[in-house]
Amino acid sequence: MSGFSAITGWGKYVPEKVLTNQDFERMVDTSDEWITDRTGIKERHIAGPGESASTLSIAAARQALDRSGIAPEDLGLIIVATVCADYPFPSTANLVQNALGARCGAFDMQAACSGFLYSLSIAHQFVSTGAAKHVLVIGVEVLSRVVDYTDRSTCVLFGDGAGAVILSASDEPGGMLGFTLGSDGANPERLWIPVGGSASPITVEDIRERRQYVRMQGNEVYRFATRIMGTAMEEALANAGMTAAEMDLFIPHQANLRIIEVAAKRLNLPPEKVFVNLEKYGNTSAAAIPIALCEAIDQGRVFPGAHLGLVAFGAGLTWAAAVVKWTAVVAPRADRTEEGSALGRAEPLSVR
Ligand code: UT7
């Protein structure tokens, strides 16, 4: 049996603490002007003591469940995309399952910044084949724990956060219409944490050399990203039988404004069809697309019948793109506040 999928719930959570470009001016040899011109980033949220991938995930997931009206025990699967798991094992998804009171299977998925779209495409397989009715998909990162705050070339880029969606079975044509996944593992050192895994158990010397932190060949990743974003999006669109002109909103991975502009140009998209929020969050890796999706909904830029183009690239190197036809109706609560529209609740949704 092959049916359709629909996003029926969504939620996001970002930690309270904010680091601005001015804060970085006091920490490393950088300037607000450099960061803004080269990346578009102005500030990012940073996890506090006691916060972790699972706590951020749980907050985002509770919102998504609340919005969908689906009980935790009705979830058929939980997938958490992250490179910042609470522990090497057990999985973060495992901890999330317990905290939510769900009873289903749960696992972590690792494809770096592409992880959320990888996970969404896995969820789609479960839902469209009837293997699961509702799948909770979370993208979460606490990159502040693995970023080297003495390395100006990386520390200004990243932030923490979580985004979650619930993908549900539906008879209505919609949900994920097409996707593509890619991987090129030839040069892992372009963006990686060199030690701490089974290939290089961490040593005192590593810590002295700060090899336990993120390292990146920024120019290499930049060149790759500007090439792959447009290509991957076009591939997913072709798989959905669509062209870029038929996209209503493009929600790309939020790493660098210049990369997004190159992709938008290649796809010939006007600025009003391109969603950008990286100025507030920096690059939150696997969390970037679901956080952006939540904000696009809050801003009224996602409507029933809208075709969304989602595309990501990241460490690996990996990439992924998906076309989603939106079918849920957003019904804001009468008592919704400014705060509530960003982080609060909406009425449970009906799925058309
Ligand atoms: O999710 C995937 C994650 N990764 C990415 O998306 C990264 C993709 N790459 C990029 O976004 C860009 O390559 C960066 C934003 C990381 C760097 O921008 P760039 O325009 O490629 O700069 P660059 O690396 O060519 O560096 C230019 C200069 C260098 O100085 P010199 O050698 O020309 O004297 C850097 O040392 O800028 C210097 N620089 C900085 N200066 C002030 C690097 N970082 C900083 C900084 N503040 N934070």
Side-chain angles (χ1 to χ4, degrees):
M1 191 202 92
S2 187
F4 300 99
S5 58
I7 293 178
T8 55
W10 55 91
K12 79 176 206 296
Y13 176 81
V14 291
E16 246 171 67
K17 183 179 170 187
V18 168
L19 273 184
T20 64
N21 290 352
Q22 286 71 25
D23 292 327
F24 277 99
E25 286 177 347
R26 292 187 282 274
M27 292 160 64
V28 288
D29 180 15
T30 192
S31 65
D32 174 39
E33 192 189 354
W34 190 96
I35 302 170
T36 306
D37 287 354
R38 302 290 178 118
T39 72
I41 299 165
K42 285 292 201 183
E43 52 188 45
R44 51 308 267 153
H45 291 251
I46 303 295
E51 289 192 304
S52 67
S54 69
T55 68
L56 271 56
S57 294
I58 292 160
R62 288 203 168 119
Q63 254 185 41
L65 283 165
D66 202 25
R67 283 194 168 120
S68 70
I70 290 162
E73 54 268 29
D74 293 334
L75 291 172
L77 185 67
I78 298 172
I79 311 175
V80 174
T82 190
V83 296
C84 302
D86 280 30
Y87 310 105
F89 67 86
S91 73
T92 299
N94 207 211
L95 305 172
V96 171
Q97 166 268 316
N98 180 60
L100 295 178
R103 290 192 293 253
C104 57
F107 64 88
D108 288 1
M109 223 295 309
Q110 216 269 56
C113 303
S114 314
F116 177 77
L117 292 183
Y118 264 70
S119 301
L120 196 66
S121 60
I122 296 169
H124 175 69
Q125 309 313 312
F126 274 78
V127 161
S128 63
T129 56
K133 243 182 168 172
H134 307 287
V135 179
L136 171 61
V137 182
I138 299 169
V140 59
E141 304 291 5
V142 192
L143 286 160
S144 60
R145 306 277 201 249
V146 291
V147 158
D148 183 350
Y149 284 100
T150 66
D151 175 5
R152 69 175 182 176
S153 71
T154 53
C155 68
V156 300
L157 304 176
F158 298 102
D160 301 338
V165 301
I166 292 169
L167 198 72
S168 301
S170 170
D171 296 330
E172 176 99 2
M176 193 179 273
L177 302 183
F179 68 93
T180 187
L181 307 178
S183 166
D184 172 5
N187 301 99
E189 66 285 352
R190 284 179 189 173
L191 177 48
W192 69 343
I193 295 177
V195 302
S198 61
S200 306
I202 206 160
T203 65
V204 171
E205 181 58 19
D206 288 329
I207 292 171
R208 227 176 269 132
E209 299 292 323
R210 308 180 77 77
R211 282 194 285 259
Q212 75 275 31
Y213 294 123
V214 171
R215 293 198 177 183
M216 180 172 72
Q217 297 167 5
N219 282 318
E220 291 290 322
V221 179
Y222 185 89
R223 265 199 293 276
F224 159 75
T226 50
R227 182 174 55 77
I228 206 68
M229 290 267 268
T231 316
M233 193 66 255
E234 282 169 352
E235 224 172 277
L237 283 161
N239 291 340
M242 285 174 54
T243 64
E246 293 171 287
M247 246 192 303
D248 295 296
L249 189 63
F250 180 52
I251 306 181
H253 176 46
Q254 305 285 313
N256 185 319
L257 185 58
R258 290 185 296 149
I259 294 173
I260 293 175
E261 284 170 352
V262 171
K265 193 167 172 208
R266 155 135 193 193
L267 296 165
N268 208 13
L269 297 172
E272 62 273 17
K273 282 194 175 184
V274 181
F275 190 84
V276 178
N277 67 354
L278 54 71
E279 69 281 2
K280 288 189 289 181
Y281 303 112
N283 180 350
T284 57
S285 184
I289 287 182
I291 289 175
L293 175 64
C294 287
E295 292 212 331
I297 296 166
D298 284 338
Q299 292 172 18
R301 296 176 70 178
V302 177
F303 51 89
H307 289 93
L308 313 179
L310 315 173
V311 63
F313 64 91
L317 302 168
T318 58
W319 59 96
V323 179
V324 170
K325 184 179 176 190
W326 193 259
T327 47
V329 179
V330 186
R333 279 160 58 119
D335 61 348
R336 219 165 172 206
T337 60
E338 187 76 8
E339 167 82 359
S341 72
L343 291 169
R345 302 142 56 110
E347 281 301 328
L349 299 163
S350 61
V351 177
R352 298 207 316 167

